[in-house]
C-alpha cells in the first residue's frame, strides 16, 4: 500500500510540475504552427489531448498556489534561517507589550496585522497590498479559461455555410442548431460605379415555425442569438434555362459565372454575367450579347433561353460554446497582468519569544527596496521602547 501511495504521489508531483506544463505548452505551439497549414489539426486528438492536459496542469498548479496563499502557516522559514532575518533583544518587556507596540506601529505604516500564537512564540505578520499576490495564480487561471474554452469549442463547436434563395428558409435545426432562419429579402448598396458597397439579408429567427425576432444581417454586423452567430459572407445568382437543337434538348441550373458546356463540333461553352452572355469555342471567345428572360438566343444550330434568375444569400453560421470561457480568460488576463507586473505585496514578520531578560525579536521582511525604510522605522520604534539596545544581525 505504501508503495502504491508513493507511486501515486510521484505521479501527482510530475503531473502538477511546471516542467510538464512547459513541455505541453511547447507541444501546443508546434501543433499550432502546423495548424496554420492544416486547419484540421486543431480538432485532432493530439491537439485536444495536449490542451486538456495543459488545462489540468495549470488548474492543479493554480489550486496549489492558492492553497499556499490562503493557508495559515506557522513560523515563516525566513525567521528560522540564519542570515535571513534581523534580531533584537528587548529587556524588561514581555512579548505582549512588544506585540502591542509592534502592532500599533505596523498599523501606522499601513500594514494589515495578524497575530498567531505558536509553540515557538507569538508571530505578528503585517501585509500591505497582499491582494497582488493573487496576480500569478489569476494569470494561470486566465490561461486555464482560454485553453479550456478552445478545447470545448474544438470538440463541441460547429460551423456551416448556407446558400439560400431569397425568399427562402435555412433549416439550421437539421444540423443541430436551436433555430431556423427565414430570409425575407436581400438588398445591395452600391457605389457610384455600381460595385457592391454593402449587402444585407433581412432574416427571421424561427422556432417550430414561430417567429422569435427579425434582424438585418450585413457584413461585419452578424446576428447573435442563443449562442449562435450568423454572418453575411456572400451573395450571388442562380440561372435556370434550356438548350435546344435538332438532336437534343436539356435544362440547366447553374450559378451565375459558371460555364455551361453546349457541345457540338465547335465545343461551345456559355458563361453569363447578367445580362451579358459570352460564348466560347474551344476555349476561345466566340461571341457575346445581352440576354433577357424568356427571349431565345440563337447560336449556330442551338437555341438558348433563360427562364429564371434568382438571388441567393450566403450565410456563415457558427456555434462555439467555449467562447464565453475564452472571453473570460482574456478579461482575467487584463486584470491579473498589471497585478503581477506593477504591484508587489509587502510583508513583515516578527517572532516574539520570551527570554529571561525580556523578549527576543526576530524580524524579516519582503518588499521592494524603495520601501525598506519601513522595516527600519519598525526597528527604531521597537528599539526606542528599550533603553538598552542589543546589536542587530543581518
Amino acid at each position: 500500500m505504501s508503495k502504491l501511495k508513493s507511486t501515486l504521489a510521484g505521479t501527482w508531483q510530475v503531473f502538477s510540475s511546471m516542467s510538464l506544463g512547459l513541455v505541453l505548452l511547447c507541444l501546443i505551439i508546434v501543433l499550432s504552427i502546423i495548424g496554420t497549414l492544416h486547419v484540421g489539426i486543431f480538432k485532432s486528438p493530439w491537439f485536444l489531448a495536449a490542451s486538456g492536459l495543459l488545462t489540468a496542469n495549470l488548474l492543479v498548479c493554480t489550486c496549489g498556489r492558492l492553497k499556499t496563499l490562503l493557508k495559515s502557516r506557522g513560523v515563516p522559514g525566513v525567521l528560522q534561517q540564519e542570515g535571513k532575518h534581523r534580531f533584537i533583544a528587548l529587556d524588561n518587556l514581555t512579548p505582549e507589550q512588544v506585540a502591542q507596540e509592534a502592532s500599533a506601529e505596523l498599523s501606522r505604516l499601513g500594514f494589515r496585522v495578524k497575530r498567531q500564537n505558536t509553540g515557538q512564540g507569538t508571530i505578528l505578520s503585517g501585509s500591505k497590498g497582499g491582494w497582488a499576490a493573487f496576480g500569478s495564480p489569476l494569470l494561470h487561471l486566465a490561461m486555464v479559461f482560454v485553453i479550456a474554452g478552445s478545447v470545448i469549442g474544438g470538440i463541441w463547436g460547429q460551423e456551416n455555410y448556407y446558400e439560400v434563395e431569397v425568399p427562402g428558409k435555412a433549416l439550421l435545426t437539421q444540423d443541430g442548431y436551436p433555430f431556423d432562419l427565414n430570409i425575407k429579402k436581400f438588398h445591395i448598396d452600391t457605389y457610384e460605379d455600381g460595385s457592391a458597397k454593402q449587402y444585407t439579408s433581412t432574416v427571421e429567427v424561427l422556432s417550430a415555425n414561430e417567429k422569435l425576432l427579425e434582424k438585418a444581417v450585413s457584413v461585419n454586423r452578424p446576428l447573435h442569438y442563443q449562442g449562435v452567430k450568423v454572418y453575411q459572407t456572400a451573395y450571388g445568382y442562380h440561372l435556370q434555362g434550356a438548350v435546344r437543337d435538332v438532336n437534343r434538348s436539356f435544362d440547366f441550373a447553374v450559378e451565375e459565372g459558371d460555364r455551361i458546356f453546349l457541345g457540338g463540333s465547335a465545343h461551345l461553352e456559355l458563361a453569363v454575367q447578367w445580362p451579358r452572355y459570352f460564348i466560347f469555342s474551344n476555349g476561345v471567345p466566340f461571341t457575346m450579347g445581352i440576354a433577357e428572360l424568356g427571349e431565345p438566343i440563337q447560336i449556330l444550330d442551338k437555341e438558348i433561353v433563360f427562364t429564371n434568375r434568382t438571388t441567393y444569400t450566403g450565410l456563415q453560421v457558427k456555434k462555439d460554446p467555449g467562447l464565453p470561457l475564452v472571453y473570460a480568460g482574456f478579461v482575467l488576463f487584463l486584470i491579473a497582468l498589471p497585478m503581477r507586473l506593477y504591484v508587489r505585496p509587502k510583508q513583515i514578520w516578527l517572532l516574539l519569544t520570551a527570554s529571561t531578560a525580556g523578549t527576543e525579536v526576530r524580524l524579516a521582511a519582503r518588499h521592494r527596496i524603495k520601501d525598506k525604510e519601513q522595516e527600519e522605522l519598525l526597528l527604531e520604534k521597537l528599539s526606542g521602547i528599550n533603553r538598552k539596545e542589543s546589536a542587530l544581525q543581518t
Side-chain angles (χ1 to χ4, degrees), residues 64-79:
R65 178 62 175 161
L66 288 174
K67 183 180 179 181
T68 302
L69 290 174
L70 298 174
K71 185 179 179 181
S72 178
R73 307 181 67 180
V75 180
V78 290
L79 294 178

Side-chain angles (χ1 to χ4, degrees), residues 76-81 84-87 124 126 347-351 361-367 375 378-379:
V78 290
L79 294 178
Q80 297 176 320
Q81 301 172 10
K84 298 294 185 180
H85 61 270
R86 298 186 177 211
F87 176 87
L124 294 179
Q347 290 179 294
I348 293 181
W349 299 277
L350 293 93
L351 175 60
V361 181
R362 296 182 187 182
L363 182 147
R366 182 178 66 188
H367 46 51
E375 183 180 345
L378 180 58
L379 285 173

Side-chain angles (χ1 to χ4, degrees), residues 233-362:
T233 57
Y235 72 94
Y237 303 93
H238 290 148
L239 289 171
Q240 295 176 322
V243 178
R244 302 184 183 89
D245 61 22
V246 294
N247 296 320
R248 68 188 183 104
S249 298
F250 64 90
D251 298 328
F252 62 82
V254 296
E255 184 174 347
E256 188 173 300
D258 292 345
R259 291 192 181 188
I260 306 168
F261 183 68
L262 303 178
S265 58
H267 296 91
L268 297 179
E269 291 178 302
L270 168 68
V272 180
Q273 291 292 341
W274 196 263
R276 296 180 177 84
Y277 67 87
F278 305 88
I279 302 296
F280 298 85
S281 176
N282 294 310
V284 179
F286 178 71
T287 187
M288 61 178 292
I290 302 296
E292 294 288 344
L293 291 179
E295 179 181 314
I297 302 171
Q298 193 69 37
I299 306 294
L300 299 179
D301 61 341
K302 302 183 184 299
E303 182 181 86
I304 305 168
V305 60
F306 296 99
T307 57
N308 195 19
R309 180 175 182 259
T310 56
T311 305
Y312 73 83
T313 181
L315 301 174
Q316 196 79 24
V317 182
K318 295 182 180 181
K319 180 176 66 174
D320 188 349
L323 202 57
L325 273 179
V326 174
Y327 288 154
F330 281 120
V331 171
L332 195 59
F333 183 83
L334 293 175
I335 295 173
L337 188 61
M339 291 171 57
R340 182 66 180 84
L341 294 180
Y342 302 113
V343 183
R344 296 294 186 194
K346 305 172 184 65
Q347 290 179 294
I348 293 181
W349 299 277
L350 293 93
L351 175 60
L352 312 179
T353 307
S355 65
T356 55
T359 301
E360 293 180 349
V361 181
R362 296 182 187 182

Side-chain angles (χ1 to χ4, degrees), residues 52-252:
L53 286 174
L54 180 58
T55 300
N57 174 263
L58 288 171
L59 193 58
V60 170
C61 292
T62 301
C63 292
R65 178 62 175 161
L66 288 174
K67 183 180 179 181
T68 302
L69 290 174
L70 298 174
K71 185 179 179 181
S72 178
R73 307 181 67 180
V75 180
V78 290
L79 294 178
Q80 297 176 320
Q81 301 172 10
E82 292 295 332
K84 298 294 185 180
H85 61 270
R86 298 186 177 211
F87 176 87
I88 184 172
L90 302 176
D91 295 342
N92 303 319
L93 291 172
T94 65
E96 180 63 28
Q97 291 173 314
V98 177
Q100 291 179 4
E101 191 71 23
S103 297
E105 182 63 13
L106 285 172
S107 298
R108 189 189 70 81
L109 293 173
F111 286 87
R112 186 167 59 91
V113 183
K114 289 185 178 180
R115 179 172 176 170
Q116 180 183 1
N117 294 319
T118 68
Q120 299 183 43
T122 300
I123 297 176
L124 294 179
S125 59
S127 63
K128 184 190 296 185
W131 54 271
F134 291 91
S136 181
L138 286 179
L139 280 175
H140 289 170
L141 194 60
M143 292 183 64
V144 169
F145 281 5
V146 172
I147 297 173
S150 301
V151 171
I152 292 173
I155 296 176
W156 290 287
Q158 193 174 350
E159 181 175 351
N160 298 88
Y161 175 72
Y162 298 88
E163 286 187 358
V164 187
E165 291 190 355
V166 183
K169 286 186 178 181
L171 301 178
L172 278 58
T173 51
Q174 293 183 353
D175 294 317
Y177 294 102
F179 56 81
D180 293 319
L181 293 176
N182 178 45
I183 291 78
K184 293 180 62 178
K185 58 183 179 180
F186 180 80
H187 176 72
I188 302 175
D189 295 321
T190 60
Y191 292 102
E192 293 182 357
D193 62 358
S195 59
K197 179 180 180 182
Q198 177 66 285
Y199 38 102
T200 304
S201 297
T202 302
V203 303
E204 293 177 339
V205 176
L206 305 178
S207 178
N209 288 324
E210 181 181 349
K211 178 180 174 181
L212 302 178
L213 64 88
E214 180 175 319
K215 181 177 174 62
V217 180
S218 57
V219 178
N220 297 324
R221 294 178 181 176
L223 164 68
H224 301 257
Y225 191 71
Q226 293 185 357
V228 178
K229 291 185 178 181
V230 180
Y231 297 88
Q232 178 72 65
T233 57
Y235 72 94
Y237 303 93
H238 290 148
L239 289 171
Q240 295 176 322
V243 178
R244 302 184 183 89
D245 61 22
V246 294
N247 296 320
R248 68 188 183 104
S249 298
F250 64 90
D251 298 328
F252 62 82

Side-chain angles (χ1 to χ4, degrees), residues 19-32 50 54 58 143 147:
S19 300
L20 177 62
L22 291 174
V23 170
L24 291 171
L25 184 61
C26 291
L27 177 60
I28 289 176
I29 291 174
V30 172
L31 292 175
S32 298
L54 180 58
L58 288 171
M143 292 183 64
I147 297 173

